[in-house]
Amino acid sequence: MNDSTKRLLRELEIFGKAHDGYYNISADTGQFFYVLVLISKAKSILEVGTSNGYSTIWLGEAAKQNKGKATTIEIAEHKVEIAAENLKRARLSNVNIVHGDALTEIPKLKGKFDFLFLDAIKEDYINYFKSAYPKLTKGAVIVADNAIMFERYMKDYLNFVRTNKNLRSVLIPIGSGVEFTLKLK
Ligand SMILES: C[S@@+](CC[C@H](N)C(=O)[O-])C[C@H]1O[C@@H](n2cnc3c(N)ncnc32)[C@H](O)[C@@H]1O
């Protein structure tokens, strides 16, 4: 990652603390995802919940290191515009922003994904996951934010990933809590 992208991330961290409504992941969560993408060698990332593109920059940068790409879905038009501007500033041409409801957009996506990040409506994580599941490769990594802070809204999801025999899942106490799941087959 170059210095100007590091500066942009820092700027967005300060902006996010000063303004309500962007709900960005913590900086250490971003760093964690960056490392995870590198070690998993993921090349095709799907993010649900873009906001202003803060987490997308971490994911897109890591995908770029792997010569891969990222798709991110955001329902709010004004956030899509802000994210597009931030991704342009980060010079991430490997990221595609899809404007729409993830529940209708995920089924339309072409190709397979080896990394999935869930960060939109907590009660719908289970629905985003089930919709994306047929498009996930064997060995895909799935990370879901707010697994500690909003555990009460994600119980269906957490119960599903922790008990399904085709998945292994563990809670990572970083940021707001990240549920880290591996698709075994
Ligand atoms: C927690 S924020 C995402 C923060 C972002 N991942 C980051 O860390 O920088 C959740 C976002 O999901 C969006 N959202 C809510 N429901 C959605 C849906 N059904 N489909 C796509 N995006 C949705 C919201 O507009 C909001 O911008």
Side-chain angles (χ1 to χ4, degrees):
M1 187 183 296
N2 63 34
D3 285 347
S4 89
T5 303
K6 284 183 193 160
R7 277 197 299 276
L8 173 59
L9 285 169
R10 189 75 200 112
E11 180 190 314
L12 294 178
E13 283 153 20
I14 293 164
F15 181 85
K17 285 193 179 99
H19 298 84
D20 285 337
Y22 292 97
Y23 314 114
N24 303 127
I25 55 169
S26 66
D28 57 353
T29 304
Q31 196 72 254
F32 175 54
F33 290 173
Y34 186 84
V35 170
L36 268 186
V37 171
L38 294 194
I39 59 174
S40 66
K41 301 187 169 63
K43 277 184 176 285
S44 185
I45 295 175
L46 175 59
E47 174 182 60
V48 178
T50 319
S51 186
N52 59 350
Y54 175 76
S55 54
T56 321
I57 295 172
W58 283 106
L59 295 171
E61 269 290 334
K64 194 165 112 182
Q65 300 298 318
N66 292 348
K67 299 192 170 28
K69 58 188 171 34
T71 299
T72 182
I73 310 176
E74 172 57 53
I75 202 165
E77 189 172 6
H78 71 286
K79 288 186 176 175
V80 169
E81 284 165 15
I82 297 167
E85 184 57 34
N86 286 329
L87 289 162
K88 195 169 150 198
R89 287 179 67 194
R91 297 179 195 278
L92 286 171
S93 56
N94 62 332
V95 178
N96 176 37
I97 309 177
V98 175
H99 176 209
D101 182 340
L103 292 175
T104 53
E105 297 304 323
I106 293 170
K108 295 187 214 160
L109 297 174
K110 302 259 184 289
K112 291 273 188 182
F113 297 93
D114 47 17
F115 194 103
L116 172 65
F117 172 40
L118 301 177
D119 197 20
I121 302 293
K122 310 306 151 190
E123 291 90 339
D124 275 331
Y125 278 18
I126 185 72
N127 299 319
Y128 304 139
F129 179 75
K130 287 189 174 171
S131 178
Y133 190 79
K135 299 176 195 287
L136 296 178
T137 59
K138 178 181 170 185
V141 167
I142 303 104
V143 281
D145 196 35
N146 305 109
I148 294 174
M149 186 189 269
F150 295 133
E151 181 197 5
R152 61 194 181 281
Y153 302 119
M154 317 168 33
K155 281 197 184 303
D156 288 357
Y157 175 78
L158 295 173
N159 185 47
F160 186 85
V161 295
R162 289 172 186 172
T163 57
N164 189 297
K165 65 178 175 17
N166 294 327
L167 305 168
R168 284 305 291 253
S169 201
V170 61
L171 176 64
I172 312 284
I174 190 169
S176 306
V178 170
E179 184 72 14
F180 172 31
T181 305
L182 184 65
K183 184 179 178 186
L184 299 173
K185 51 186 176 181

